[in-house]
Amino acid sequence: MGSNSNGSNVIPVHSSSPDSGFLRQLRKGERQALSRYFDQTAPVLLAVAMRYLSNKQDAEDIMQESLLKVLHSLDSFAPLNEQSFEAWAKKICVNQSLNFLRKKNRFIEVGDFESERIIHNQTDQTAEETELPEQIDSLKLMDCIVQLPAGYRTVMNLYVFEGYSHKEIAETLGISENTSKTQLHKARKFLKATVAEYSNLKSTLSYERKS
C-alpha cells in the first residue's frame, strides 16, 4: 500500500485483512489512523443510517454510536469470504439503526394518509412491475426511500440492500413472513408512485420553462 503525504504508511480503511497495518494502528489508537477512519467511514455510515431513519439528527446520532462501537469491537473483526472492513462497519450501523427503531416501536407502521393515498392511486401490478424504479437518479431515489413509512422502509432496506430473506426479516423484526412480503410490496408501489409524481412534476416544470 502507498504512503500518505508525510511519508507514514497508513493502510486504507477498506482493507479486508485483519492483520493490516491500518487496523493495528487503529487498535493502538494512533491519531492519524483514527482521523483517517472517521473521515472515510463517517460518510458511509451516515448514508446507511439515513436509509433507515427519516430524521437526519437521529441518523447522525446512530452514525456516531456506530463509529464508536466499531472501534470498541475491533478485536472481534475477523473477515470471512473477503468481507471487507467497510461491510463489517456497515453491518454494525444497520444493527444500531434497527435497535433504535425497535426502541421506538416503528417497525410495523401502516403509514400516514398521504402514503396510503399514493399507494391506492396505483393499479395492481405484478412483482416485476413494482421493482425499484430505474428511471431516476440515485439521490432522488434515496429521498423517496426516506419518505417511506418506517415499516416499509425497514423491510425494503433489509431485503434490497442487506440481502435478507423474508424469513430472516421476520426473525429480525419479530413479524410474520407474510407481513414482510406485504410491507415490501407496498414499499415498491409507493416508490413507483412517488417517482411517477416526481417525473410528471419535472416534465411540467420543464414545459413551463420552455413556454
Side-chain angles (χ1 to χ4, degrees):
M1 308 297 293
S3 299
N4 67 359
S5 57
N6 64 12
S8 60
N9 294 319
V10 178
I11 298 178
V13 164
H14 311 302
S15 170
S16 62
S17 170
D19 298 319
S20 72
F22 171 74
L23 290 180
R24 287 198 298 272
Q25 291 167 351
L26 265 188
R27 288 189 179 104
K28 291 177 182 178
E30 294 185 12
R31 183 178 299 178
Q32 192 175 45
L34 286 170
S35 177
R36 190 182 186 99
Y37 163 70
F38 284 115
D39 288 346
Q40 293 188 359
T41 310
V44 174
L45 299 192
L46 180 60
V48 171
M50 281 297 296
R51 280 199 282 107
Y52 284 87
L53 311 173
S54 58
N55 181 279
K56 187 174 181 181
Q57 183 59 58
D58 290 339
E60 289 176 344
D61 290 343
I62 292 300
M63 174 197 71
Q64 294 288 350
E65 291 175 12
S66 301
L67 287 168
L68 294 176
K69 189 172 182 64
V70 168
L71 289 178
H72 295 156
S73 306
L74 281 175
D75 288 339
S76 68
F77 174 58
L80 299 174
N81 301 322
E82 303 301 321
Q83 180 189 23
S84 70
F85 180 84
E86 181 181 303
W88 178 69
K90 283 182 176 180
K91 186 172 183 180
I92 287 177
C93 188
V94 168
N95 289 335
Q96 292 295 105
S97 298
L98 293 178
N99 287 339
F100 177 87
L101 291 170
R102 188 175 290 111
K103 290 176 183 177
K104 300 291 184 178
N105 294 316
R106 292 182 182 174
F107 285 141
I108 309 306
E109 183 177 301
V110 175
D112 58 21
F113 175 80
E114 179 63 12
S115 62
E116 291 298 313
R117 178 193 68 78
I118 291 174
I119 289 172
H120 289 304
N121 280 346
Q122 291 290 297
T123 57
D124 288 337
Q125 297 157 314
T126 65
E128 290 76 13
E129 291 174 319
T130 53
E131 291 296 324
L132 285 178
E134 297 179 353
Q135 70 275 27
I136 187 172
D137 66 82
S138 58
L139 289 178
K140 181 57 187 177
L141 179 58
M142 291 310 300
D143 286 343
C144 293
I145 290 175
V146 169
Q147 293 176 38
L148 287 167
Y152 301 170
R153 185 172 63 247
T154 303
V155 171
M156 170 161 279
N157 273 307
L158 291 174
Y159 187 86
V160 175
F161 295 100
E162 321 305 343
Y164 280 41
S165 67
H166 284 296
K167 181 179 180 180
E168 290 170 326
I169 293 173
E171 293 172 350
T172 299
L173 305 186
I175 62 179
S176 70
E177 289 185 49
N178 283 338
T179 297
S180 177
K181 292 175 182 177
T182 299
Q183 297 277 64
L184 179 63
H185 180 70
K186 287 187 174 183
R188 284 171 165 163
K189 289 186 72 174
F190 178 93
L191 283 180
K192 189 175 181 67
T194 303
V195 168
E197 289 189 355
Y198 169 75
S199 297
N200 290 338
L201 176 60
K202 189 175 181 180
S203 297
T204 300
L205 291 175
S206 178
Y207 174 79
E208 290 176 350
R209 290 192 187 101
K210 295 176 180 178
S211 298

